[in-house]
Amino acid sequence: MPVAEPVVNPDDGSHGGDDGGTIGGTPPSPDQRGRRRVAGVAAVALIAAAAGVGGAAAYDAINGDDNSPVVSSLNTGNDSKSAPTGDVEKVAQKLLPSVVQINVRGSQEAGSGTGIIISSDGQILTNNHVVEAAADGGSITVSFNDATNAKAEILGRDPVTDLAVIKADGKSGLTPAALGSSNNLEVGQEVVAIGSPYGLDSTVTSGIISALNRPVASSGGAGDNDQTVFPAVQTDAAINPGNSGGPLVDMEGNVIGINSAIRAGTTTSGDAGSIGLGFAIPIDLAKNVSKHLVKGEKVQHARIGVTVAPAVSSDDITGVGAEIKEVNKGSAGDKAGLKTGDIITAVNDSPVVSSNALVASIRGYQPGEKITITYTRDGQKKTAEVTLDSDGGDLGS
């Protein structure tokens, strides 16, 4: 479900505004200015936490026991030992064996990011922008917590949600991370982030969830013209370039988000760094996408089929919703009776204050789900039940 918000180059340290979006349309090309030193530094309306600078470790493929049973995080009912609530050390001890550094080299760039082991035979969840540089003939090496290394290949990518799954060669007996849920999170809840900022693997930071359902717009990867907007889990836990693809974890050791973007400050050396505004893709969204990627299936994304722009109050500053500029004939929005000029203000009673907020909200649902949209028409408040369409899927190739 692409959008038409501008994308700001991560090297200039600035951030863009909300200039409208297309739900089910074709987005314009984002600004691709500036140098690109590392694989996976996504251009973000805030700024990507992207794959940071870090040398690739030497390849040392370890052959495992092919007869070992495969355990996957994506299967329900996994027996996972919880860490004591409030104990960052115990959470780190539990998760570190399930977190890897991903070293990527493409034809014109190289760098590193983070990944989460989701199966005992080497399936790893990460961001699309971490591995995209290797999608066309590049190479990927995974560095594990036990200091071993293995080559990896991409199983599937989805630029629309900025997610990807890779598979490490010749591995078995790995420890999959426990994937929690993002539908019951609370602002102020303690969390831990783990990753490889600037190539410094196994780095642990802690903080709180500072906001939920924050609409964040970013590109899906290096040189990628597609944009993604997701309903982010916002945290003040330190996240820096290289943390992308790594876990945001609750205090029971369950992954509740995939660290993907930051609003960054700039150091004296010119590098972008954390200022306490990090953003993670909710794990419920990541699980839904990953279940398709591991099978090589198309990932279908929900859409309404309307083009929207920011709606502001009479002060020309305060956002009050998403104004419909066009309704595609025969779309979910058309069937629900939405019209040009309607201002959408809520989805399932969750406020919508901008076009980005609407796109992010719809991103959290699946095609075929029914939602209730609240909108105003000629100053009158109305509601409509919408059965979401599908964009047909995108393999990310």
Side-chain angles (χ1 to χ4, degrees):
M1 186 171 51
V3 295
E5 283 73 22
V7 173
V8 178
N9 188 284
D11 291 324
D12 64 14
S14 59
H15 65 283
D18 180 5
D19 290 344
T22 302
I23 304 179
T26 302
S29 298
D31 183 1
Q32 296 295 330
R33 297 169 297 166
R35 61 185 175 85
R36 299 199 60 86
R37 291 171 28 198
V38 298
V41 181
V44 192
L46 294 163
I47 187 168
V53 179
Y59 169 56
D60 181 16
I62 304 298
N63 292 322
D65 181 1
D66 292 337
N67 295 321
S68 299
V70 175
V71 180
S72 174
S73 299
L74 301 179
N75 295 330
T76 59
N78 286 342
D79 183 12
S80 178
K81 184 178 180 181
S82 295
T85 300
D87 194 334
V88 175
E89 180 183 3
K90 293 296 184 181
V91 171
Q93 289 176 354
K94 178 183 178 182
L95 261 294
L96 280 171
S98 303
V99 180
V100 301
Q101 180 173 312
I102 300 174
N103 304 301
V104 180
R105 180 169 295 279
S107 59
Q108 298 182 347
E109 56 194 342
S112 62
T114 304
I116 305 165
I117 297 172
I118 59 171
S119 77
S120 58
D121 64 343
Q123 292 178 354
I124 296 166
L125 173 62
T126 187
N127 283 134
N128 175 63
H129 73 253
V130 169
V131 300
E132 187 196 25
D136 296 319
S139 64
I140 301 173
T141 302
V142 177
S143 298
F144 294 87
N145 186 248
D146 63 359
T148 61
N149 306 293
K151 288 186 176 180
E153 62 180 6
I154 296 172
L155 291 184
R157 301 188 299 119
D158 183 37
V160 175
T161 55
D162 192 21
L163 292 166
V165 175
I166 63 175
K167 176 73 161 54
D169 295 340
K171 302 298 287 188
S172 64
L174 300 176
T175 303
L179 305 185
S181 176
S182 48
N183 67 4
N184 56 356
L185 303 177
E186 299 288 345
V187 173
Q189 177 178 335
E190 291 182 287
V191 289
V192 172
I194 303 176
S196 301
Y198 298 105
L200 302 173
D201 65 304
S202 303
T203 296
V204 177
T205 58
S206 64
I208 64 168
I209 293 175
S210 51
L212 292 168
N213 299 314
R214 182 74 74 194
V216 174
S218 75
S219 75
D224 194 339
N225 289 337
D226 290 329
Q227 291 189 59
T228 179
V229 179
F230 61 93
V233 179
Q234 180 179 307
T235 180
D236 67 351
I239 295 173
N240 285 287
N243 276 106
S244 276
L248 188 67
V249 187
D250 66 21
M251 300 311 293
E252 293 185 348
N254 300 310
V255 179
I256 51 90
I258 308 300
N259 298 321
S260 301
I262 61 171
R263 174 67 175 98
T266 304
T267 67
T268 54
S269 64
D271 292 324
S274 171
I275 58 172
L277 290 172
F279 305 93
I281 298 171
I283 195 62
D284 290 348
L285 173 59
K287 284 191 291 188
N288 287 335
V289 172
S290 299
K291 288 177 181 178
H292 295 287
L293 294 180
V294 297
K295 299 176 182 177
E297 297 174 348
K298 291 185 177 181
V299 178
Q300 298 189 43
H301 313 97
R303 65 178 184 179
I304 304 174
V306 300
T307 301
V308 293
V312 296
S313 66
S314 57
D315 62 9
D316 292 329
I317 297 175
T318 305
V320 296
E323 182 178 358
I324 297 178
K325 294 298 185 180
E326 182 180 356
V327 180
N328 297 335
K329 187 174 181 180
S331 67
D334 184 31
K335 293 175 182 176
L338 298 178
K339 298 183 180 300
T340 300
D342 291 346
I343 297 176
I344 297 175
T345 59
V347 173
N348 284 351
D349 294 327
S350 295
V352 168
V353 297
S354 67
S355 53
N356 260 357
L358 176 63
V359 176
S361 178
I362 299 303
R363 179 73 74 241
Y365 295 95
Q366 297 296 306
E369 285 192 79
K370 292 184 178 181
I371 61 172
T372 299
I373 286 180
T374 303
Y375 64 98
T376 59
R377 178 182 296 169
D378 299 327
Q380 299 296 313
K381 181 178 178 180
K382 298 178 179 292
T383 61
E385 187 176 82
V386 179
T387 301
L388 295 170
D389 283 340
S390 169
D391 64 359
D394 184 354
L395 280 174
S397 58

